[in-house]
Amino acid sequence: MKKRVVLLLLSLIVFSCLLVGEQSEHYFRFYLHHHSQLSKITRLISIDDVKDGYVYAYANDKQLQKFKILGYSLEMLQKPGTLYKPDMTDDIETNRIWTEYPTYDAFVTIMYQFAIDYPSLCTVENIGTTVQGREILMAKISDNVQSNEAEPEFLYVATMHGDETAGYICLLNLIEHLLENYGTVPRITNIVDNLVIWISPLQNPDGTYFGGNNSVAGAQRFNANFVDLNRNFPCPLEGPHPDGNDWQPETIAMMDFAEGHHITMGANYHGGTEVVNYPWDFQSELHPDDDWYVYTSQVYANAAQANSPAGYMNGYNNGITNGFAWYETHGGRQDYMNYFHYAREVTMEISDTKLLPEIFLEDHWNYNRESMLLYLEEALYGIHGFVTNDAGNPVEAKIEVLNHDFDNSHVYSDSDLGDYYRLLYEGIYDLKASSYGYLPEVAENVSVTNGNLVDLDFTLQTAPLFTVSGNVEDGVDHNPVVNAMIEFIETPLDPVFTDNLGNYTIENVPEGSYQVYVSSDPYSNLLTQIDIAENNTIHDFSICLSDIEDFESASFLMHDWAFAGNADWMITNEVAFEGSFSARSGNIIDNQESSILLNLEVTAPGEVSFYLKVSSEVVFDYFRFYIDGVLQDRWSGEVDWQEAHYPVDEGIHEFKWTYEKDENTSNGNDCAWLDMIALPCTEEMSTPELPEPAKVSLLGNYPNPFNPETAISFTINSQEEIPTRLEIYNIKGQKVNTLIDANLSAGNYNIIWDGTDSNSKKVGSGMYFYRLISSDLDKTEKMLLLK
């Protein structure tokens, strides 16, 4: 088998590429102690493969230094792009036999020549430039290439890892194959007539031509900034910058391209192994269309096996694998396209050898040609159709499969032409089309069979318009709330405000269901759903005054806070969003956490909001917020003060904030801060008790600051003895002494505290709080002890 010859050849040929500057990309392997550790490792370095107990990986200098802290024994390997020096050509006609790699200049010429040779079928666009100024070229192939047609848009790209070159030449071959055979081969003609095909053979030219424009020898995985482009995209879980790097020019070019097109399906070609890798890479939960991904991936793998020597693309699960089951990654292209752009993209690994010797380029094209065509044809199946309105105009609508879609697996119809494409595994489905301003339409019992097309159009009727009105009142005293804002979420309707009677009116609201946001400072915000119909246009809202925890009492005594983990939270005056004080996570070490919790009975739907600040090791140490044990959000790295909002339903809820560290490394201040927590309506706020005449009054303490002692003064005005307690707390909210716990009669009291008694155990200098508690008073003040 030729693949074995390649391995023998590569073991004999070692070439040192002459590069300018310091080597900053490293290739190595190490034995994996436990598979669960991959979640940590994948955030430190670029995993390339996991096989036979070993992890093969790339890292730049900074990543390698950080990874070594984990203590793995590394076996440094020669970079694949330096193992072999292929023959190159800049002769366009010779090169189009595809037995040699083109120089970079020849590649650019070849791409533009396609458009010159086939002007009615092909255009070539420069969608962006690389770090070093090279062009990122994209060929468009279609029977009406200058037009915007109502056809599925299909995207093939390759070589975003610059040293994985088999896909580079295969896609050049595919462009030529489609163009040369159009009009003469019915199958090719059908594909080109019914698809808009985008092909970019070289996504990372700086990496592929790292040794210079005249050779792919010395190719590297990373781009010229030593960033892995397939970890540089936004991630549904890790946010916009999962790798901690700015978006690279190559990444931005592809993000802009995706934003400007309506990609239905595609594949991203890689090398280093032989397998079709399907979503997700970032999470273990399967994609809602997992059965479709498995089926179409197997279509590709089966055809590749049938057109190649024994053993090609037959590993893993018969040539296919779920990405996360192989190894977890964040910031990959396929997850980005599938989650944020509603596409169906996979990753094709088509060569065990990364920098494939030129004598095997034609072979790999022959192995994959039929698979590539079959995969293109899969975009022609499933459910296709148009969404128009009752006037026949195209409508941009959300197309969702009921009781099926989640994790952004729905699709949208095109805003210009109204066409949509929903690829599905065979079965019977109910589909719903919806768009603002129209009544939704549901198509029931739609039967889908693999390898066949279902035409399904939707005609959305214009929804009747209504004037919606109502009142916003205080939930406690039922007085009108003036200047409250009412906003219909994710609609073009402008927010409106209540008048001096608490009334509002909003005109031209289409019939339908809406999320409505009601807000007015200092009230707790309300997020609720309402239905608008002919007999349902009046909607009143009740909101409650916010319960603000600002920690300005310099204690945790305003609410029934609880602590968990390895260290309690504390009050600090070192940093605050507003005022002088904030809450700070406890001092913890590796593999520890510090949590603060609050349990509340929420009496009306509303929201909890707070300001947060984080200073931690980026990506690995996290500040997390939970409601009822369900993670709402998380933050990592250097995060300056920002506000977060989360809706809360009526009922008993647990709110939990946790700062947690992984097994090594500390960066920044290694903590998180909280301030200005606005809590939703609670039982004690909604049903306030009328205050009784004061019987106990706290006067304060003098001197303050003090050393060595201060007198805490209060008075009692009562005909009866009153249970009275005077307690001292430190800045962490921990009680250090009880000065009084007795029934006291009327009189003036001056209680001395100097922090030297046996209960206090000679406390040190710092901020302290004294709390006076009686039947009608619970008040806390602060004092400063200076020793």
Side-chain angles (χ1 to χ4, degrees):
M1 176 176 134
K2 289 186 175 180
K3 186 164 59 176
R4 294 193 186 118
V5 177
V6 174
L7 296 176
L8 177 61
L9 180 65
L10 294 182
S11 66
L12 298 175
I13 301 176
V14 176
F15 124 89
S16 298
C17 183
L18 299 176
L19 300 178
V20 178
E22 182 183 356
Q23 174 62 270
S24 295
E25 180 181 271
H26 309 277
Y27 186 54
F28 53 92
R29 75 172 189 171
F30 55 91
Y31 189 78
L32 183 65
H33 299 154
H34 196 279
H35 195 273
S36 64
Q37 296 171 341
L38 285 177
S39 183
K40 164 79 173 185
I41 293 169
T42 194
R43 290 171 167 85
L44 285 170
I45 56 180
S46 289
I47 297 176
D48 182 53
D49 199 359
V50 179
K51 60 184 178 181
D52 300 327
Y54 283 90
V55 175
Y56 293 78
Y58 290 80
N60 59 33
D61 292 337
K62 182 179 178 181
Q63 291 171 327
L64 185 63
Q65 182 180 10
K66 194 169 186 178
F67 177 69
K68 286 181 177 179
I69 298 174
L70 296 185
Y72 282 95
S73 178
L74 306 185
E75 180 185 354
M76 305 307 295
L77 305 173
Q78 189 168 355
K79 290 168 50 181
T82 66
L83 287 171
Y84 180 69
K85 187 174 184 179
D87 289 337
M88 306 291 298
T89 183
D90 57 6
D91 186 329
I92 297 173
E93 295 304 320
T94 299
N95 193 70
R96 287 173 73 166
I97 303 173
W98 310 116
T99 58
E100 295 176 298
Y101 284 99
T103 63
Y104 171 72
D105 292 335
F107 160 72
V108 172
T109 301
I110 291 165
M111 288 290 286
Y112 285 116
Q113 191 66 41
F114 286 136
I116 294 171
D117 293 346
Y118 301 93
S120 63
L121 297 177
C122 180
T123 61
V124 173
E125 301 177 15
N126 176 7
I127 65 169
T129 54
T130 67
V131 173
Q132 296 179 338
R134 294 184 176 95
E135 294 181 81
I136 304 171
L137 299 179
M138 183 79 72
K140 177 186 178 183
I141 299 174
S142 177
D143 60 327
N144 294 300
V145 72
Q146 302 295 338
S147 302
N148 181 20
E149 294 187 275
E151 296 175 347
E153 294 190 64
F154 192 102
L155 176 65
Y156 268 144
V157 301
T159 329
M160 67 186 306
H161 288 155
D163 59 354
E164 300 170 10
T165 55
Y168 174 19
I169 302 304
C170 280
L171 289 188
L172 283 174
N173 270 299
L174 180 63
I175 295 172
E176 188 164 49
H177 185 72
L178 294 173
L179 296 176
E180 282 189 342
N181 289 285
Y182 179 79
T184 58
V185 178
R187 182 189 188 187
I188 301 300
T189 304
N190 181 65
I191 290 173
V192 174
D193 280 349
N194 291 286
L195 292 175
V196 176
I197 304 167
W198 298 93
I199 302 178
S200 179
L202 189 59
Q203 287 273 288
N204 180 13
D206 287 358
T208 301
Y209 292 94
F210 188 68
N213 283 353
N214 293 326
S215 181
V216 297
Q220 71 170 23
R221 177 187 183 94
F222 298 157
N223 76 342
N225 284 336
F226 300 98
V227 172
D228 188 335
L229 298 178
N230 207 31
R231 306 292 186 271
N232 193 235
F233 285 85
C235 172
L237 180 64
E238 301 287 352
H241 301 285
D243 62 352
N245 295 307
D246 293 336
W247 290 326
Q248 299 299 292
E250 299 89 346
T251 308
I252 294 172
M254 279 309 304
M255 290 170 64
D256 289 345
F257 177 84
E259 190 67 32
H261 296 86
H262 202 90
I263 302 301
T264 298
M265 184 176 170
N268 182 0
Y269 280 87
H270 287 255
T273 190
E274 297 164 358
V275 69
V276 181
N277 171 7
Y278 57 88
W280 299 105
D281 287 333
F282 78 95
Q283 68 173 3
S284 60
E285 187 168 11
L286 297 178
H287 192 283
D289 292 331
D290 183 70
D291 49 6
W292 179 88
Y293 275 111
V294 170
Y295 169 75
T296 54
S297 297
Q298 203 66 70
V299 166
Y300 190 101
N302 289 347
Q305 294 165 10
N307 290 279
S308 63
Y312 182 77
M313 202 174 283
N314 67 349
Y316 302 85
N317 182 19
N318 194 27
I320 70 173
T321 184
N322 169 268
F324 190 91
W326 184 13
Y327 61 87
E328 176 183 354
T329 63
H330 300 275
R333 247 287 304 277
Q334 74 173 15
D335 285 351
Y336 167 76
M337 291 296 296
N338 295 331
Y339 190 89
F340 295 105
H341 289 284
Y342 319 102
R344 299 295 181 268
E345 181 174 298
V346 299
T347 301
M348 306 290 190
E349 304 270 359
I350 62 168
S351 170
D352 279 344
T353 305
K354 286 176 174 285
L355 184 59
L356 191 65
E358 67 278 12
I359 59 173
F360 301 110
L361 293 175
E362 188 175 4
D363 290 333
H364 278 71
W365 160 239
N366 291 330
Y367 300 164
N368 287 274
R369 179 178 58 234
E370 177 65 14
S371 297
M372 287 178 160
L373 296 177
L374 285 170
Y375 209 68
L376 281 164
E377 288 172 327
E378 286 296 330
L380 300 174
Y381 309 138
I383 303 175
H384 295 192
F386 291 86
V387 183
T388 56
N389 60 19
D390 37 16
N393 298 318
V395 174
E396 181 179 17
K398 179 182 180 181
I399 312 296
E400 54 187 320
V401 181
L402 299 179
N403 302 313
H404 176 89
D405 281 331
F406 61 92
D407 277 350
N408 282 11
S409 61
H410 57 273
V411 299
Y412 287 91
S413 56
D414 184 78
S415 58
D416 294 328
L417 300 175
D419 55 319
Y420 78 92
Y421 310 94
R422 184 60 171 95
L423 309 178
L424 283 166
Y425 187 73
E426 60 186 12
I428 298 177
Y429 302 95
D430 297 336
L431 279 76
K432 175 184 175 182
S434 58
S435 182
Y436 174 79
Y438 297 94
L439 298 176
E441 183 179 348
V442 175
E444 297 180 332
N445 300 319
V446 181
S447 180
V448 176
T449 56
N450 295 333
N452 289 286
L453 173 64
V454 177
D455 288 315
L456 178 64
D457 297 335
F458 291 94
T459 301
L460 300 185
Q461 301 299 315
T462 301
L465 302 179
F466 300 103
T467 297
V468 178
S469 61
N471 180 268
V472 179
E473 68 171 16
D474 186 301
V476 176
D477 59 22
H478 305 293
N479 288 327
V481 179
V482 178
N483 207 35
M485 183 179 75
I486 297 90
E487 181 179 5
F488 282 54
I489 303 299
E490 295 183 351
T491 74
L493 297 170
D494 292 329
V496 297
F497 297 85
T498 56
D499 60 19
N500 58 1
L501 297 177
N503 297 321
Y504 74 92
T505 300
I506 181 167
E507 297 179 345
N508 297 320
V509 181
E511 179 178 331
S513 296
Y514 297 93
Q515 290 284 316
V516 178
Y517 192 70
V518 183
S519 60
S520 178
D521 187 39
Y523 288 85
S524 177
N525 298 329
L526 172 66
L527 180 64
T528 188
Q529 181 167 316
I530 64 172
D531 294 321
I532 303 298
E534 183 176 3
N535 298 318
N536 194 27
T537 61
I538 299 176
H539 292 272
D540 298 330
F541 304 104
S542 178
I543 56 179
C544 303
L545 287 169
S546 295
D547 182 8
I548 303 293
E549 172 64 270
D550 58 8
F551 304 107
E552 290 305 303
S553 68
S555 74
F556 292 110
L557 302 177
M558 284 186 62
H559 295 91
D560 191 16
W561 291 103
F563 304 99
N566 304 97
D568 291 348
W569 279 60
M570 63 188 76
I571 303 295
T572 178
N573 61 358
E574 296 175 353
V575 62
F577 174 76
E578 186 172 277
S580 301
F581 295 93
S582 66
R584 180 191 185 278
S585 58
N587 295 319
I588 56 175
I589 59 176
D590 295 336
N591 278 325
Q592 291 188 344
E593 65 179 46
S594 174
S595 299
I596 185 171
L597 304 91
L598 188 62
N599 287 281
L600 292 176
E601 182 175 358
V602 179
T603 58
E607 72 169 18
V608 59
S609 67
F610 52 88
Y611 285 86
L612 66 106
K613 180 180 173 68
V614 183
S615 179
S616 75
E617 180 191 16
V618 66
V619 178
F620 303 107
D621 297 343
Y622 280 96
F623 180 46
R624 304 175 193 266
F625 175 58
Y626 301 84
I627 299 179
D628 300 328
V630 178
L631 179 66
Q632 305 296 310
D633 215 335
R634 63 180 184 173
W635 303 267
S636 182
E638 296 299 324
V639 181
D640 203 359
W641 286 112
Q642 63 176 242
E643 190 175 17
H645 298 259
Y646 304 94
V648 183
D649 293 330
E650 183 178 348
I652 298 175
H653 297 285
E654 179 192 74
F655 304 98
K656 178 182 178 182
W657 294 263
T658 298
Y659 180 70
E660 60 185 47
K661 291 180 58 56
D662 70 342
E663 63 261 28
N664 59 65
T665 310
S666 295
N667 283 339
N669 296 98
D670 211 17
C671 67
W673 295 268
L674 279 172
D675 203 358
M676 297 296 293
I677 303 174
L679 300 168
C681 303
T682 59
E683 181 65 32
E684 59 267 26
M685 293 175 57
S686 300
T687 56
E689 297 181 1
L690 294 175
E692 296 180 359
K695 297 177 181 178
V696 179
S697 299
L698 178 61
L699 303 179
N701 71 296
Y702 182 82
N704 189 18
F706 64 95
N707 179 16
E709 63 184 29
T710 186
I712 302 170
S713 303
F714 61 93
T715 63
I716 296 178
N717 179 19
S718 174
Q719 300 300 319
E720 302 175 353
E721 289 189 340
I722 295 179
T724 305
R725 193 163 69 250
L726 181 60
E727 300 170 337
I728 308 296
Y729 290 83
N730 64 20
I731 197 169
K732 295 182 179 180
Q734 300 166 326
K735 186 165 65 175
V736 300
N737 202 350
T738 299
L739 299 181
I740 295 176
D741 189 1
N743 294 328
L744 301 181
S745 58
N748 298 320
Y749 294 85
N750 293 286
I751 309 301
I752 304 297
W753 184 69
D754 62 6
T756 61
D757 56 275
S758 58
N759 289 334
S760 297
K761 297 180 181 178
K762 295 185 178 180
V763 298
S765 297
M767 186 73 70
Y768 290 88
F769 310 94
Y770 53 96
R771 181 185 184 188
L772 184 63
I773 307 167
S774 71
S775 59
D776 70 334
L777 180 71
D778 188 342
K779 189 172 183 181
T780 302
E781 296 289 350
K782 56 190 174 183
M783 55 187 176
L784 184 61
L785 171 60
L786 299 176
K787 288 188 176 180

